[in-house]
């Protein structure tokens, strides 16, 4: 199940601090007053521009998720700009920002062993825009195994039958505002209930370079919730702040899951069915995703399930 909980840009006057997780509040406290006052104006964006549309100099204000870091991207042309009930949606000639694009579906569809795919996306506008501008991603929606549900994923899961899913994938935005509940205990408990014994969760878990305290909180909750195993993996994403993003991968109590050694290696899948060759992911990269640098081992190891690596 794929979920994108969009960030809603609040109007001036809203106290943004009420919607920020502890890691962001800590970052705000360290910012100069002149910058922290305008944090809610950039919560939805990662990019700065050399000039505003009015021709005046455009000032960048720190995003509390990435204190002291500005991410600038060259924008050749704005293809689409709109605002849904949940977020601002921008499509650039050189960049897509946001989820609900069908990319996760496309990758799941590579696997013939998958019989049914439910996707719950809260923002229909994201789906429609990506279908128009990014057909190579949104082709995931064309798979006959896919059932689309437009709405809140947390509510959708609460109403799901117990033990209904073999795997749940949470493709969420950062834990600010409405998306904050997606890193809290009740949501993880709802997921665990919806998974069968030995079922698997994969959810975004921020960058170890910036948010080890947030990752520790998530790991602690997951260890208490998922009685199988809990792991943290990461991969390089050049367009994401710090250049990397992490994933929490958990299993419920039941048949053991060997996360390091996939049952169906990606090399065995027919790339022609997905209409796209893989340029990054392979079995070696999969195993390497679980290798942590020394500082992350020190800060996260006590929360992780010991890994078992098969020697061949």
């Amino acid at each position: 199940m794929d979920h994108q909980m969009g960030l809603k840009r609040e109007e001036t006057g809203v106290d943004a601090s009420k919607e920020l997780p502890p890691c962001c509040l800590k970052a705000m406290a360290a910012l100069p007053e002149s910058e922290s006052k305008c944090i809610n104006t950039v919560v939805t964006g990662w990019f700065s521009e050399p000039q505003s549309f009015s021709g005046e100099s455009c000032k960048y204000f720190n995003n509390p998720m990435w204190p002291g870091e500005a991410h600038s991207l060259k924008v050749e042309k704005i293809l689409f700009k709109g605002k849904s009930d949940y977020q601002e949606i921008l499509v650039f000639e050189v960049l897509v920002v946001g989820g609900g694009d069908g990319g996760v579906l496309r990758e799941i569809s590579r696997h013939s062993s998958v019989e049914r795919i439910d996707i719950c996306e809260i923002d229909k506008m994201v789906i429609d825009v990506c279908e128009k501008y990014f057909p190579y991603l949104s082709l995931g929606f064309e798979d006959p195994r896919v059932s689309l549900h437009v709405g809140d994923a947390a509510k959708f899961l609460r109403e799901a039958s117990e033990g209904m899913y073999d795997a749940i994938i949470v493709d969420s935005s950062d834990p600010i505002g409405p998306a904050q509940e997606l890193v809290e205990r009740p949501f993880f408990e709802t997921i665990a209930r919806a998974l069968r014994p030995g079922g698997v969760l994969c959810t975004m878990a921020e960058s170890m370079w910036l948010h080890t305290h947030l990752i520790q909180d998530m790991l602690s909750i997951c260890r208490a919730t998922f009685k199988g195993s809990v792991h943290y993996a990461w991969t390089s994403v050049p367009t994401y702040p710090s250049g990397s993003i992490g994933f929490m991968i958990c299993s419920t109590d039941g048949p053991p899951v060997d996360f390091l050694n996939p049952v169906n290696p990606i090399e065995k899948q027919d790339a022609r069915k997905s209409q796209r060759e893989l340029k990054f992911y392979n079995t070696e990269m999969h195993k390497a995703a679980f290798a942590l640098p020394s500082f992350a081992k020190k800060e996260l190891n006590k929360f992780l399930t010991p890994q078992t690596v098969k020697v061949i």
Side-chain angles (χ1 to χ4, degrees):
M1 180 179 298
D2 173 32
H3 176 74
Q4 167 69 22
M5 178 74 77
L7 294 182
K8 183 176 180 182
R9 174 165 291 183
E10 302 294 343
E11 301 297 331
T12 303
V14 173
D15 184 0
S17 65
K18 293 181 179 179
E19 298 188 350
L20 299 178
C23 61
C24 295
L25 296 177
K26 190 181 297 183
M28 285 180 66
L31 294 176
E33 184 180 0
S34 60
E35 295 186 18
S36 62
K37 284 182 178 178
C38 296
I39 278 180
N40 63 344
T41 66
V42 296
V43 159
T44 59
W46 295 350
F47 61 94
S48 59
E49 296 174 294
Q51 285 189 327
S52 67
F53 291 111
S54 63
E56 299 177 353
S57 177
C58 180
K59 184 176 181 181
Y60 177 83
F61 295 97
N62 276 319
N63 187 315
M65 286 296 293
W66 313 293
E69 182 176 344
H71 197 169
S72 296
L73 295 162
K74 182 179 180 182
V75 177
E76 298 288 347
K77 183 180 179 181
I78 295 179
L79 301 178
F80 177 85
K81 183 177 183 180
K83 188 173 183 179
S84 71
D85 291 338
Y86 303 97
Q87 60 190 322
E88 280 194 337
I89 300 173
L90 296 174
V91 178
F92 303 138
E93 194 169 9
V94 292
L95 173 70
V96 57
V97 177
D101 51 30
V104 171
L105 284 179
R106 185 190 67 189
E107 298 309 308
I108 295 174
S109 298
R110 292 179 186 270
H111 299 272
S112 59
S113 60
V114 177
E115 298 176 357
R116 173 183 171 183
I117 309 169
D118 285 340
I119 174 170
C120 188
E121 164 60 55
I122 198 170
D123 197 340
K124 183 64 163 57
M125 184 184 289
V126 173
I127 298 173
D128 295 339
V129 169
C130 289
E131 181 179 11
K132 179 178 179 180
Y133 293 101
F134 305 99
Y136 61 89
L137 285 175
S138 63
L139 61 84
F141 287 99
E142 299 173 5
D143 192 292
R145 296 170 291 177
V146 171
S147 295
L148 171 63
H149 309 270
V150 177
D152 177 18
K155 181 176 184 294
F156 181 84
L157 280 172
R158 286 194 295 269
E159 296 174 352
S161 300
E162 185 173 353
M164 183 173 183
Y165 293 104
D166 296 309
I168 294 176
I169 300 172
V170 182
D171 180 17
S172 67
S173 55
D174 294 293
I176 300 176
Q180 184 172 341
E181 71 169 313
L182 303 186
V183 297
E184 294 175 342
R185 187 182 300 272
F187 183 65
F188 285 118
E189 291 175 344
T190 300
I191 290 175
R193 174 188 168 277
L195 286 170
R196 67 164 176 80
V200 171
L201 162 70
C202 177
T203 184
M204 195 179 81
E206 297 304 325
S207 169
M208 61 184 172
W209 297 105
L210 301 172
H211 305 120
T212 53
H213 48 289
L214 178 58
I215 297 168
Q216 287 174 340
D217 290 344
M218 293 179 68
L219 284 170
S220 178
I221 292 171
C222 288
R223 283 298 300 269
T225 306
F226 297 91
K227 305 302 182 180
S229 60
V230 175
H231 297 286
Y232 178 82
W234 65 286
T235 190
S236 298
V237 181
T239 54
Y240 192 81
S242 84
S244 69
I245 188 65
F247 307 93
M248 202 72 64
I249 303 180
C250 315
S251 63
T252 55
D253 190 23
V257 179
D258 183 0
F259 284 115
L260 269 68
N261 299 280
V263 175
N264 299 309
I266 195 66
E267 288 83 2
K268 292 184 178 181
Q269 309 306 315
D270 189 349
R272 292 172 297 179
K273 291 182 179 180
S274 64
Q275 304 178 32
R276 189 174 175 86
E277 295 283 347
L278 288 171
K279 296 182 179 180
F280 181 86
Y281 180 74
N282 55 44
T283 297
E284 288 76 18
M285 294 303 298
H286 177 96
K287 293 181 179 180
F290 295 89
L292 299 177
S294 297
F295 81 90
K297 278 186 177 182
K298 182 178 180 180
E299 297 189 40
L300 303 181
N301 255 2
K302 64 180 179 179
F303 300 97
L304 299 173
T305 302
Q307 296 185 10
T308 301
V309 181
K310 295 180 179 178
V311 178
I312 300 176

